[in-house]
C-alpha cells in the first residue's frame, strides 16, 4: 500500500512501458449532474493543467474530445508532457473510433503562420493518444475479443500508445489472457469505499494491470460520518480523504470538477497520510455492488 512518499508527480509504469500519472483529471461532465460538457471542458482542463495535472481522461461518449485537445494545445505544454486517455463508445468500431478521436483531439494539427515552423510543431504535437480504452464490455466473448484485437492493431499502427479496458470484470480479462493476447495495461472501474470491487483489484494486481478509479469522491456524496470524522482528524476535506484512500490502495483516481478552487484542492493530498486505523474504517464501508453509484456494467456476459 502506497503512503507518504507519493507526490503530485508520481507515476505508474504500465505494461506497455509508458508512465501514467497517479492522479487524473476526468472530464465526464454531464454525467450525474445537469451541466453542459461543451461549456465546462475547455476551461476545466486549462485550469487543471495550470495547477499541475498531467493526466486527462476523456471519451467519445463525453462529446468533448475536441475541447480537451484545444485546451492541451493552448496550455503551452509539450504534447509528451500530458497523458491523454479516450475510449471507444459501446457500439463503436475501434479503428474508426481511434481515427475519430485523433481528428477530434487535433494533436496533429499544424496551426502555423510560416512553413518554416512546421517541423518544430510536428515534433511538439505528435498525433497519438496515450491510452485508449474499451469503454465497457460489449455483449459476447467474440465481440469483445474482436474489439480488443482492433485496439491492438491501432497500437501497432502507432495511433495509440497503450491499450486498456474499462468496467471489465475478471472473466472479461481472462478471455483476453486465454486467447494469448497482450493483456490490457489498464482497467478503469468505479471505485470508492462504498464500492471497492476487491476481486477485480486483486486480479489486476496479480497481472500487473493498473487500476483506475472513477467516481473516487462518490460524486460529492461526502456526508458519511466515518469520512467526515477522518477528514476532521487530519484537517482535510472529505474529498481529499477519499482521494488519499485511493492513492494508498495503489489506485489511479480520476477526479472531475469545474470549480477552480475544487480543482486545486483535489491536488492537495500529498501533505498527509491515512493511518492504519483510518484505512480500516474506510475499508469497512464496502457495500459491494450495492454501493455503486454509477452504471458499473461489470457483469455483462
Amino acid at each position: 500500500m502506497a503512503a507518504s512518499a507519493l507526490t503530485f508527480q508520481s507515476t505508474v509504469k504500465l505494461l506497455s512501458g509508458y508512465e501514467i500519472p497517479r492522479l487524473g483529471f476526468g472530464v465526464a461532465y454531464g454525467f450525474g449532474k445537469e451541466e453542459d460538457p461543451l461549456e465546462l471542458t475547455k476551461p476545466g482542463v486549462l485550469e487543471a493543467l495550470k495547477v499541475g495535472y498531467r493526466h486527462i481522461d476523456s471519451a467519445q461518449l463525453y462529446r468533448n474530445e475536441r475541447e480537451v485537445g484545444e485546451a492541451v494545445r493552448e496550455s503551452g505544454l509539450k504534447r509528451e508532457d500530458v497523458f491523454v486517455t479516450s475510449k471507444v463508445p459501446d457500439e463503436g468500431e475501434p479503428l474508426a473510433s481511434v481515427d475519430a478521436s485523433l481528428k477530434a483531439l487535433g494533436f496533429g494539427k499544424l496551426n502555423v503562420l510560416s512553413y518554416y515552423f512546421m517541423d518544430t510543431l510536428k515534433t511538439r504535437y505528435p498525433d497519438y493518444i496515450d491510452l485508449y480504452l474499451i469503454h465497457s464490455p460489449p455483449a459476447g466473448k467474440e465481440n469483445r475479443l474482436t474489439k480488443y484485437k482492433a485496439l491492438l492493431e491501432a497500437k501497432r499502427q502507432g495511433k495509440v500508445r497503450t491499450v486498456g479496458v474499462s468496467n471489465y470484470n475478471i472473466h472479461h480479462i481472462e478471455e483476453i489472457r486465454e486467447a494469448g493476447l497482450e493483456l490490457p495495461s489498464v482497467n478503469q472501474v468505479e471505485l470508492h469505499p462504498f464500492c471497492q470491487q476487491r476481486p477485480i483489484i486483486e486480479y489486476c494486481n496479480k497481472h500487473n494491470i493498473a487500476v483506475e478509479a472513477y467516481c473516487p469522491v462518490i460524486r460529492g456524496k461526502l456526508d458519511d460520518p466515518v469520512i467526515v470524522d477522518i477528514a476532521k482528524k487530519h484537517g482535510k476535506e472529505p474529498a481529499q480523504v477519499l482521494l488519499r484512500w485511493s492513492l494508498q490502495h495503489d489506485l489511479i483516481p480520476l477526479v472531475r470538477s469545474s470549480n477552480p478552487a475544487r480543482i486545486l484542492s483535489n491536488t492537495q493530498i500529498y501533505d498527509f497520510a491515512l493511518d492504519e486505523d483510518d484505512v480500516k474504517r474506510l475499508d469497512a464501508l464496502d457495500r459491494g455492488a450495492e454501493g455503486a453509484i454509477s452504471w458499473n456494467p461489470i457483469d455483462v456476459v
Side-chain angles (χ1 to χ4, degrees):
M1 183 178 293
S4 57
L6 290 166
T7 72
F8 200 1
Q9 290 73 45
S10 293
T11 61
V12 174
K13 189 168 186 179
L14 301 173
L15 286 172
S16 64
Y18 290 98
E19 302 274 340
I20 185 171
R22 285 288 309 272
L23 180 64
F25 186 77
V27 296
Y29 296 115
F31 287 78
K33 293 185 177 181
E34 293 183 5
E35 51 190 14
D36 182 356
L38 299 184
E39 179 181 321
L40 297 176
T41 299
K42 187 173 177 180
V45 174
L46 281 169
E47 185 66 24
L49 295 173
K50 177 182 175 182
V51 304
Y53 289 89
R54 295 295 181 264
H55 174 184
I56 309 297
D57 181 86
S58 186
Q60 283 194 19
L61 185 64
Y62 305 161
R63 299 179 290 112
N64 58 9
E65 291 171 306
R66 188 175 307 279
E67 288 72 23
V68 168
E70 289 175 355
V72 172
R73 294 197 304 275
E74 293 178 20
S75 71
L77 295 167
K78 293 181 179 180
R79 172 65 187 91
E80 59 267 29
D81 291 337
V82 184
F83 191 101
V84 177
T85 298
S86 196
K87 310 175 188 76
V88 58
D90 298 345
E91 301 303 323
E93 194 284 313
L95 287 175
S97 294
V98 169
D99 287 340
S101 291
L102 285 168
K103 182 178 180 181
L105 288 164
F107 294 134
K109 292 180 180 178
L110 296 176
N111 300 317
V112 294
L113 298 175
S114 168
Y115 173 82
Y116 298 104
F117 293 113
M118 291 184 73
D119 287 339
T120 299
L121 287 181
K122 279 182 180 178
T123 300
R124 184 165 182 172
Y125 290 113
D127 202 14
Y128 64 87
I129 301 171
D130 295 276
L131 173 63
Y132 213 77
L133 309 178
I134 296 175
H135 205 145
S136 66
K141 175 181 176 179
E142 292 308 314
N143 190 17
R144 287 191 287 272
L145 289 176
T146 297
K147 276 199 169 188
Y148 188 74
K149 289 175 183 177
L151 284 193
L152 292 179
E153 174 60 21
K155 179 187 173 191
R156 189 192 69 78
Q157 294 176 10
K159 297 176 179 180
V160 172
R161 285 187 166 183
T162 300
V163 168
V165 295
S166 181
N167 297 298
Y168 267 46
N169 211 331
I170 294 170
H171 69 277
H172 299 130
I173 303 176
E174 272 291 285
E175 293 169 354
I176 295 170
R177 191 183 67 82
E178 290 171 356
L181 300 173
E182 171 188 325
L183 286 175
S185 290
V186 169
N187 186 18
Q188 183 181 126
V189 293
E190 178 178 345
L191 283 165
H192 47 77
F194 299 119
C195 181
Q196 296 181 31
Q197 317 246 43
R198 294 178 188 178
I200 295 175
I201 293 177
E202 290 173 6
Y203 177 90
C204 288
N205 288 343
K206 178 181 177 181
H207 294 281
N208 297 313
I209 299 168
V211 181
E212 294 185 324
Y214 70 79
C215 296
V217 297
I218 326 174
R219 288 184 175 164
K221 299 176 181 178
L222 303 171
D223 58 351
D224 182 88
V226 171
I227 298 171
V228 171
D229 185 57
I230 294 173
K232 288 180 178 178
K233 170 182 172 180
H234 291 280
K236 287 292 183 177
E237 299 175 0
Q240 293 169 327
V241 165
L242 291 175
L243 291 171
R244 187 71 203 188
W245 177 87
S246 286
L247 291 177
Q248 289 187 214
H249 277 289
D250 295 320
L251 306 175
I252 301 170
L254 306 169
V255 62
R256 173 192 69 174
S257 180
S258 59
N259 182 314
R262 180 64 63 190
I263 290 171
L264 176 61
S265 69
N266 285 337
T267 72
Q268 296 169 336
I269 54 178
Y270 302 99
D271 57 351
F272 81 108
L274 301 174
D275 61 34
E276 185 177 351
D277 183 63
D278 298 331
V279 173
K280 285 181 178 179
R281 292 177 69 194
L282 291 168
D283 287 353
L285 298 177
D286 192 16
R287 302 174 187 166
E290 295 299 316
I293 60 167
S294 187
W295 62 335
N296 195 33
I298 59 170
D299 294 323
V300 172
V301 295

